Amino acid sequence: VFNVKRALLLLLFLTCLYFSHLFCLFIFLAWMGFTMLLDVLVNKQKIAYYLKWILTLLPILVLSIIFISISSGQNANSSSREFSELLKWIPDARPIITLHYEKQQVFSFLAGSSILLCLAWLGFQRFFRERALRLSDSLAFTAIYCLICYFSFPDEAATGGFVSVRFLLFFFLFSLAWIACRITKNWMGIALAGILLLVSVRMLWFHYHEMKRLSDDVVSYMEAGKYIQPGEVVLPLNYSDNWLHSNISCYLGAEKHALLLDNYEASKPHFPLLWKKGMESYSILGKFSASIPPCCDARQFK
């Protein structure tokens, strides 16, 4: 039942989502929209009932539109992943691969393929045999929506990055939620839960040992930092295929108050620290942080 107290609570929740991450807000609004639509179709709820709730969304929607319009104006660049790569990421469950693709792929593929098989079986049972909609199917429709956006949206948009992997993450999350609502056979639930638990334990074990290695690498970086004088300009060259190594170099700037040229945040307009116009290191020196071996022309930076 709609009342002012519930409307204010919803507005407060949406405001928290807005300031936490705009992406999460849009996914929630999509799920909310599918839930309203199914309530109208399945439970014959009157559309007028939801008009008051929709009016509650207007302040947040206006703020979101303003943010996107400003962000899009600040960064007109966008890039998309190859379609073949996007297809490969789905059974590989790419969102749970964090540090090393090849080392984590075996177990992530086990998790991703298990979820997809379970999803396909329950989806066939639900939409081709039962042929009836339920309110919980809003989870499935949201998962499908995330999958469509996954293939449609560029990987970089409105100053944000890693858009594709975020949509894929929510596809799996909503798929698992729908599976939990739909699963009726105990053996299927136990099998899926067992596989996901096995993958989670293996991933935790991998991260434990990998973090130890990265900690040792940080110590080595800091040893090199002893030769850097405060206020110097430092160009770190990364020959590793581990993306975290390019971030570890930033410790040098924090300890020595040096200017690190490998600062991707300064190239994004939504961060507080920005490169001066025409002084962005990536455009001047070349793709020194995105290629192995790194390629750059230090003479261009003056």
Side-chain angles (χ1 to χ4, degrees):
V1 180
F2 178 87
N3 56 50
V4 176
K5 181 180 178 180
R6 291 182 176 179
L8 290 177
L9 285 175
L10 176 61
L11 182 59
L12 177 62
F13 174 71
L14 293 175
T15 303
C16 291
L17 274 180
Y18 172 81
F19 283 106
S20 63
H21 206 292
L22 200 64
F23 192 91
C24 298
L25 172 65
F26 285 157
I27 298 298
F28 173 79
L29 292 177
W31 170 75
M32 188 176 175
F34 285 122
T35 302
M36 290 180 179
L37 180 61
L38 286 177
D39 196 26
V40 172
L41 296 176
V42 177
N43 299 329
K44 308 303 180 183
Q45 181 64 261
K46 294 182 180 179
I47 298 178
Y49 169 77
Y50 283 115
L51 291 179
K52 297 177 182 179
W53 292 104
I54 294 175
L55 289 175
T56 307
L57 308 177
L58 289 181
I60 298 300
L61 291 176
V62 170
L63 287 175
S64 302
I65 293 172
I66 293 174
F67 175 82
I68 291 174
S69 61
I70 294 176
S71 300
S72 300
Q74 290 176 332
N75 183 17
N77 297 325
S78 64
S79 61
S80 300
R81 298 278 180 176
E82 293 291 335
F83 184 76
S84 57
E85 184 180 23
L86 293 176
L87 280 179
K88 186 177 185 299
W89 278 8
I90 298 176
D92 282 348
R94 179 63 180 85
I96 68 174
I97 298 177
T98 53
L99 298 176
H100 200 288
Y101 201 106
E102 286 73 21
K103 293 180 180 179
Q104 296 180 271
Q105 183 185 18
V106 174
F107 282 88
S108 67
F109 179 80
L110 179 61
S113 57
S114 299
I115 295 172
L116 291 175
L117 287 174
C118 191
L119 189 65
W121 171 253
L122 292 175
F124 175 80
Q125 295 287 329
R126 187 76 182 87
F127 296 109
F128 291 97
R129 289 191 176 181
E130 298 179 16
R131 295 183 180 180
L133 292 173
R134 295 179 184 176
L135 204 59
S136 61
D137 291 332
S138 61
L139 297 167
F141 286 118
T142 308
I144 295 172
Y145 166 79
C146 290
L147 193 63
I148 293 173
C149 293
Y150 170 69
F151 285 106
S152 304
F153 278 72
D155 195 44
E156 293 186 12
T159 77
F162 302 101
V163 175
S164 301
V165 75
R166 297 177 197 270
F167 275 121
L168 189 58
L169 172 62
F170 277 96
F171 164 75
F172 279 113
L173 288 177
F174 277 94
S175 295
L176 282 172
W178 184 74
I179 289 172
C181 293
R182 283 293 306 152
I183 204 164
T184 56
K185 299 183 182 297
N186 290 334
W187 66 266
M188 184 180 292
I190 293 173
L192 182 60
I195 291 173
L196 296 182
L197 180 61
L198 172 66
V199 171
S200 297
V201 172
R202 179 62 182 84
M203 290 296 188
L204 286 173
W205 184 258
F206 171 80
H207 282 96
Y208 174 79
H209 290 280
E210 198 67 20
M211 289 298 105
K212 177 63 172 63
R213 296 190 187 95
L214 288 171
S215 179
D216 294 337
D217 293 340
V218 172
V219 173
S220 300
Y221 264 94
M222 300 313 294
E223 286 294 322
K226 294 178 180 179
Y227 301 95
I228 298 175
Q229 300 300 317
E232 286 188 333
V233 178
V234 180
L235 173 62
L237 299 179
N238 180 29
Y239 289 81
S240 169
D241 60 353
N242 190 326
W243 64 274
L244 275 178
H245 282 145
S246 62
N247 290 340
I248 289 175
S249 60
C250 293
Y251 283 114
L252 300 175
E255 289 287 332
K256 291 289 186 176
H257 301 287
L259 175 62
L260 268 294
L261 296 182
D262 189 9
N263 188 341
Y264 86 95
E265 289 188 355
S267 63
K268 303 293 183 180
H270 54 263
F271 286 108
L273 184 65
L274 299 175
W275 291 106
K276 291 182 178 180
K277 187 176 182 181
M279 293 297 293
E280 184 182 342
S281 59
Y282 304 110
S283 59
I284 297 175
L285 299 173
K287 298 291 184 178
F288 64 90
S289 64
S291 62
I292 300 176
C295 298
C296 67
D297 186 358
R299 296 171 298 179
Q300 298 298 322
F301 192 86
K302 299 179 181 179

